[in-house]
Amino acid sequence: MEFLTHNLAPIMFAGLILFLLLGFPVAFSLGACGLFFAFIGIELGVLPEALLQALPLRIYGIMQNDTLLAIPFFTLMGLILERSGMAEDLLDTVGQLFGPVRGGVALAVIFVGALLAATTGVVAASVISMGLISLPIMMRYGYDRRIASGVIAASGTLAQIIPPSLVLIILADQLGRSVGDMYKGAFLPGLMLTGFYALFIIALAIFKPHMVPALPPEARTLREADGKSGMPSLLVLTALCVGASIFVGKHMAELHTWWTGEAVERVALDETIVVAMCFGVALAFVAASINRLTHLNLLSKVAERVTFVLIPPLLLIFLVLGTIFLGVATPTEGGAMGALGAMIMAMARRRLDMALLRQALMSTTKLSCFVLFILIGATMFGLTFQGVDGPLWVEHLLAGLPGGQLGFLIVVNVMVFFLAFFLDFFELSFIIVPLLAPVAEKLGIDLVWFGVLLAVNMQTSFMHPPFGFALFFLRSVAPAKAYVDKVTKKIIEPVTTMQIYAGAVPFLVIQLVMVSLIIAFPGIVSSGLDEKVDYDLDKIRLEMEASMPPAMDFNDPTFGAPGEAASPDAAPEGAAPAGEDDPLKAMQESLQRDAAKP
């Protein structure tokens, strides 16, 4: 019994692992493990019975948490966009745009995956949409099946790190930090990861072109009426908009000063990128609209189509992320505006009906309940774990690692990487993060930076063979049997499960490289955050003391004595005598009487 009493925390953690390995649902495993060891602790005298009385209050606290409202809003926004056909139009247009170059369709998948990540935030929606639309095209024109499946799965997982991401919302809640700060910190790493994916495809196009061939001429349907490509017009419009965005980005501080009327010396990098990008997008939309309304024919039909296809998702990105980064809306309010914007876009495309809305609401409700029940189970587990000094055990286990901060970060990331083989990001966020956050904070690690680092690492949970969810999503839509292609009339061989697993490995390595870069260069995350304002408390105290009137000495026998000569501070003529109605005099006399008592 003594061994059990002194080691209840590690035994409790091992019991949770056993529950999970037996295949019980995570929410019920967490709750059952917490209650079971709570009763054991009460019987052993380690825990007071009153501890369980705090459980209802914690559950009510979860229900009153406004931050968690962002989850159903962003989920609803993503599901409506996915079912409204936006992904199909994006992939078709961007695929035709990049198709003439080697690896063009794969680059289009990466680009569209980043756009879907910034608008939907749902991995399943992105992977399934791109798997249904792009995988048959890549198989039709000779793409290596490993590269085709890997790039679709990896691009879908960008929804885990590019805001608005559900995992960032949950991590912010578990770490006790602002969702907006998490979004700002994750913005640049998300863009860098997208760029690394693209560089990998470009390298394949250079060194192994047979794996990522270009689309043949007969497959390029995006052309002008006279057969020309229409690309010069699009390139000029792109150069004009990029130049305008760069100009706005370089003068963002001056624009802020003009807008607010107050001197602004520095603007956060993420805010600069979003505002500058949206200015360029707005310029392209205005130019394309004027060209269409006035029939000036300054832009080609290709340039018009690309502009009008890309504008809606980019506009939605600004509506959600722009308002959050600019401080106009909270993440919850941004999610609500995004859901409304998605419904308006679906209505404009004449795709929104009651069947679509009902299906999206049902899926949103299921996911939200799933998250809520896991959080309730994690709360029960965490309450008991804290009662048996579990955080202290974890702190002693991790804080004494050799290497200080670096040793802690290496061990934690290796642990999260291997746990991601068996647990998804919801489970990792609710089980592991609350145990690691206090140790990280005690070691002086910024929790926003730590949360973004863990989010990039948890992204690998979707790509791990054989349990990665993105691989499962792709397997569900990839052809498992040979079929006859509708366009070429050729027999297309199926995509095997091992090909999907092999295709995930290079992108898994890229994700791990990104984790290493964030550890080696913390500025990748911290550069997107607002500068912290340090206050000199000693200086503030001195200024407050200087502005206060001189202190009164109540022990001075001349203080308030009647008959004293008038002074500048004396009471005005006609005032009551100080000894009668003066409260300070009465208090002084009372203190003197109390002091004279034996």
Side-chain angles (χ1 to χ4, degrees), residues 392-404 407-408 411 439 442-443:
L392 189 62
W393 169 69
V394 174
E395 182 179 329
H396 288 163
L397 190 66
L398 296 177
L401 292 171
F408 169 78
V411 170
V439 184
K442 188 172 182 179
L443 290 173

Side-chain angles (χ1 to χ4, degrees), residues 202-252:
I202 293 173
L204 285 178
I206 295 174
F207 298 105
K208 294 187 176 181
H210 64 280
M211 300 181 73
V212 285
L215 290 181
E218 61 270 15
R220 305 169 194 172
T221 58
L222 190 61
R223 293 181 177 276
E224 297 296 294
D226 56 1
K228 295 183 179 179
S229 65
M231 291 298 294
S233 174
L234 179 60
L235 292 176
V236 171
L237 180 62
T238 302
L240 178 64
C241 295
V242 170
S245 297
I246 293 174
F247 177 82
V248 171
K250 288 186 176 180
H251 296 82
M252 187 61 65

Side-chain angles (χ1 to χ4, degrees), residues 1-2 4-6 8 34-52 384 387-388:
M1 284 296 180
E2 185 177 352
L4 186 62
T5 302
H6 292 302
L8 197 57
L35 285 174
F36 178 72
F37 282 95
F39 291 138
I40 291 179
I42 292 172
E43 289 296 326
L44 294 175
V46 179
L47 298 177
E49 295 182 5
L51 181 71
L52 296 181
T384 306
V388 298

Side-chain angles (χ1 to χ4, degrees), residues 167-436:
V167 67
L168 294 176
I169 298 173
I170 294 172
L171 285 173
D173 178 69
Q174 295 297 305
L175 294 171
R177 292 298 183 265
S178 165
V179 177
D181 287 341
M182 295 292 290
Y183 280 180
K184 292 179 180 181
F187 192 76
L188 185 57
L191 293 181
M192 289 181 62
L193 197 58
T194 305
F196 288 154
Y197 290 166
L199 287 176
F200 175 67
I201 297 299
I202 293 173
L204 285 178
I206 295 174
F207 298 105
K208 294 187 176 181
H210 64 280
M211 300 181 73
V212 285
L215 290 181
E218 61 270 15
R220 305 169 194 172
T221 58
L222 190 61
R223 293 181 177 276
E224 297 296 294
D226 56 1
K228 295 183 179 179
S229 65
M231 291 298 294
S233 174
L234 179 60
L235 292 176
V236 171
L237 180 62
T238 302
L240 178 64
C241 295
V242 170
S245 297
I246 293 174
F247 177 82
V248 171
K250 288 186 176 180
H251 296 82
M252 187 61 65
E254 292 89 336
L255 290 174
H256 264 268
T257 302
W258 170 76
W259 180 261
T260 61
E262 300 176 357
V264 177
E265 297 181 358
R266 181 183 179 276
V267 181
L269 179 61
D270 56 351
E271 183 177 331
T272 301
I273 292 175
V274 170
V275 175
M277 179 187 71
C278 291
F279 181 83
V281 168
L283 181 61
F285 179 73
V286 170
S289 299
I290 293 175
N291 184 75
R292 174 171 291 187
L293 293 174
T294 58
H295 302 287
L296 294 177
N297 294 325
L298 297 177
L299 295 177
S300 63
K301 298 296 183 182
V302 173
E304 275 193 13
R305 178 179 172 183
V306 171
T307 301
F308 287 124
V309 167
L310 291 181
I311 287 301
L314 293 175
L315 178 62
L316 196 61
I317 291 172
F318 176 74
L319 182 65
V320 177
L321 298 183
T323 53
I324 293 174
F325 290 167
L326 294 175
V328 178
T330 65
T332 302
E333 294 166 346
M337 289 192 296
L340 180 62
M343 286 191 282
I344 293 174
M345 287 173 55
M347 291 175 61
R349 298 169 60 88
R350 298 180 180 178
R351 299 285 184 92
L352 185 65
D353 53 19
M354 287 305 299
L356 186 150
L357 188 60
R358 187 183 301 110
Q359 187 179 11
L361 288 173
M362 286 292 293
S363 300
T364 301
T365 304
K366 289 179 181 178
L367 180 63
S368 302
C369 293
F370 168 74
V371 174
L372 192 63
F373 271 98
I374 291 183
L375 185 52
I376 291 174
T379 300
M380 181 65 246
F381 179 84
L383 182 65
T384 306
F385 199 68
Q386 288 179 355
V388 298
D389 291 332
L392 189 62
W393 169 69
V394 174
E395 182 179 329
H396 288 163
L397 190 66
L398 296 177
L401 292 171
Q405 286 188 0
L406 182 60
F408 169 78
L409 292 172
I410 292 174
V411 170
V412 164
N413 280 280
V414 170
M415 179 181 67
V416 170
F417 176 77
F418 283 105
L419 286 176
F421 275 93
F422 313 101
L423 304 174
D424 67 1
F425 74 93
F426 281 122
E427 298 153 1
L428 290 171
S429 300
F430 290 134
I431 298 173
I432 303 299
V433 173
L435 303 179
L436 300 177

